Amino acid sequence: MAGGYNCVVLLGPTAVGKTALGVQIARHYGWDIISADSRQVYKGLDLGSGKDLADYTLHETLPDGSVRDVQIPYHLIDVTTLDDEYNVFSFQRDFYALFRSCAARHAMPFVVGGTGMYLDAIIRGYNFVPVPENAGLRQQLAGKSMEELGALLLALRPNLHNKSDLRDRERLIRAIEIQTFMQGEAYRQQRVQEPLRPEVQAFVLGTTIPRDILRENIARRLKERMDAGMVDEVQSLHDAGYSWERLEKLGLEYRFVSEYLEGKIGSVEDLSGQLCHAICQFAKRQETWFRGMERKGVTIHWLPPVTDRETRYDAALRLIDRALEP
C-alpha cells in the first residue's frame, strides 16, 4: 500500500470542474473513476444532475496529427432508477464492493464527487446496517401526530443531533423504525454475522475556485442546461410515471423545474433566477460540509483555488505522487 494510502478522493463543490480534473488524473495514472454523486446514480437524471458523460472521453492528438478518443471507465453512474431509493447506505455498500474489486486487481480506487455524506461515509467509515420496513410498527404510528412521533423518536434517541427528521413525517417514521430495529435482537445478530468492512485509508484532495467565479460558472452552466432541454427532461420523467413529489425530493434542478411545471413558479425567468440562487447556496453548504469533515479529523489537501486547469492538474499530480511514493 503505497504511502499508507489505499484510496484517492477528489472532492469539491458543484461547478468547479471536478469531473474534468478527475478524468485527467485518472488518465495519467490509469485509474477508473468511482463517482460520489447522489443523483447521478439514477438513470434518466442527465441534464439536471450534471452528468456530463462526454467528459469521460478524452480526445488525444497523436504524433501524426490524428485524434484518438480515450474512454475513462467510471462507476456508480446510471446504476438504478427512480423506482428505487438510493441512499448513503447504498453508496457505501456499492463502494465497498468496488473497493474490494480494485484490491483484487491491485488497482487504486479513485473517488470523484461532491456529495458530502457519501464521501464522509467512506472516508470516516460510517457504521450502517440495512433496516427492513416494519409494517406493524408503521400501522401503530399511522394515527399519531407529528408531536407524538417526535417525542417517541427523542425517547428512543435522546442524543439526537440532526433535528431535520422531526420536520418531515415520512423521515420521522423511518427514523423511529431504524431506532426500534437497532434496539432489537435481530440487529444484534446481524452485527455479529456481517462481514468486516475494508479498512479505507484515503488520500483526500479538495478543489474549489473563487466564489465570484463559481457563481459565474453556476449561472453559465444552468443556462446551458436550460437551453439543452432540462425542463423537457423533467417533464419526460413525470410523463413516465414519476410523481411531482418524487421529483421534488431530488432537490435543486428537479425540485424547481417540477414546481415550474406545476405552475408554482410563474415564468422561466423566475425559475432560472430562483434556481441559480439555490445552487449557489448549495455550493456554500457543500464547502461548509467539507470544513466540518476537516474539524472531525479528515485531512483535505486543497489545490490552488484557480480556474486554470493545468495549474490544478500539475498541483494534483505533485500531491498524489508525494502521497503514494513507497
Side-chain angles (χ1 to χ4, degrees), residues 195-210:
L196 290 174
R197 291 184 319 219
E199 187 69 29
V200 178
Q201 297 293 334
F203 179 72
V204 185
L205 290 170
T207 184
T208 189
I209 54 178

Side-chain angles (χ1 to χ4, degrees), residues 91-103:
F91 174 78
Q92 190 190 58
R93 175 201 63 208
D94 292 345
F95 168 78
Y96 284 155
L98 287 165
F99 183 89
R100 292 186 178 98
S101 173
C102 287

Side-chain angles (χ1 to χ4, degrees), residues 227-261:
D227 291 345
M230 189 167 71
V231 172
D232 292 337
E233 175 177 288
V234 179
Q235 182 65 62
S236 295
L237 289 166
H238 180 64
D239 293 343
Y242 298 111
S243 68
W244 292 126
E245 181 183 19
R246 176 72 178 103
L247 295 171
E248 287 176 18
K249 281 186 176 181
L250 296 167
L252 290 177
E253 293 86 352
Y254 294 97
R255 173 192 155 199
F256 280 86
V257 174
S258 292
E259 290 179 350
Y260 165 72
L261 291 169

Side-chain angles (χ1 to χ4, degrees), residues 97-302:
L98 287 165
F99 183 89
R100 292 186 178 98
S101 173
C102 287
R105 55 191 174 92
H106 305 288
M108 179 66 74
F110 179 40
V111 183
V112 179
T115 299
M117 187 172 287
Y118 283 20
L119 294 161
D120 207 18
I122 60 172
I123 293 169
R124 295 200 300 123
Y126 286 13
N127 195 12
F128 288 125
V129 293
V131 178
E133 190 171 297
N134 186 332
L137 176 62
R138 286 179 173 249
Q139 188 172 3
Q140 294 173 28
L141 300 176
K144 294 188 180 295
S145 67
M146 289 290 289
E147 290 74 18
E148 291 172 318
L149 291 172
L152 180 54
L153 177 59
L154 291 172
L156 289 166
R157 189 176 178 184
N159 62 340
L160 181 69
H161 297 297
N162 183 4
K163 298 296 194 293
S164 60
D165 285 339
L166 300 174
R167 298 190 292 270
D168 182 281
R169 186 177 185 86
E170 184 178 328
R171 291 176 62 181
L172 188 48
I173 289 174
R174 180 57 178 165
I176 293 170
E177 190 172 53
I178 290 170
Q179 292 302 314
T180 301
F181 177 80
M182 291 178 66
Q183 295 180 17
E185 180 61 27
Y187 171 73
R188 285 187 285 273
Q189 290 296 323
Q190 187 169 298
R191 299 296 294 145
V192 170
Q193 297 170 8
E194 71 176 9
L196 290 174
R197 291 184 319 219
E199 187 69 29
V200 178
Q201 297 293 334
F203 179 72
V204 185
L205 290 170
T207 184
T208 189
I209 54 178
R211 187 63 56 82
D212 58 337
I213 300 175
L214 179 59
R215 286 194 294 266
E216 292 174 6
N217 282 3
I218 289 170
R220 183 183 67 253
R221 191 177 67 168
L222 176 57
K223 183 180 186 308
E224 290 170 353
R225 291 174 182 174
M226 291 288 287
D227 291 345
M230 189 167 71
V231 172
D232 292 337
E233 175 177 288
V234 179
Q235 182 65 62
S236 295
L237 289 166
H238 180 64
D239 293 343
Y242 298 111
S243 68
W244 292 126
E245 181 183 19
R246 176 72 178 103
L247 295 171
E248 287 176 18
K249 281 186 176 181
L250 296 167
L252 290 177
E253 293 86 352
Y254 294 97
R255 173 192 155 199
F256 280 86
V257 174
S258 292
E259 290 179 350
Y260 165 72
L261 291 169
E262 292 174 86
K264 297 177 183 177
I265 297 176
S267 68
V268 171
E269 291 73 21
D270 287 344
L271 166 63
S272 296
Q274 293 181 36
L275 181 50
C276 187
H277 177 73
I279 297 171
C280 290
Q281 293 298 110
F282 172 66
K284 288 174 62 176
R285 290 196 301 274
Q286 286 178 294
E287 293 183 324
T288 299
W289 181 282
F290 300 142
R291 288 195 296 272
M293 289 172 61
E294 290 180 300
R295 287 194 297 272
K296 293 169 185 172
V298 176
T299 299
I300 301 177
H301 302 269
W302 290 99

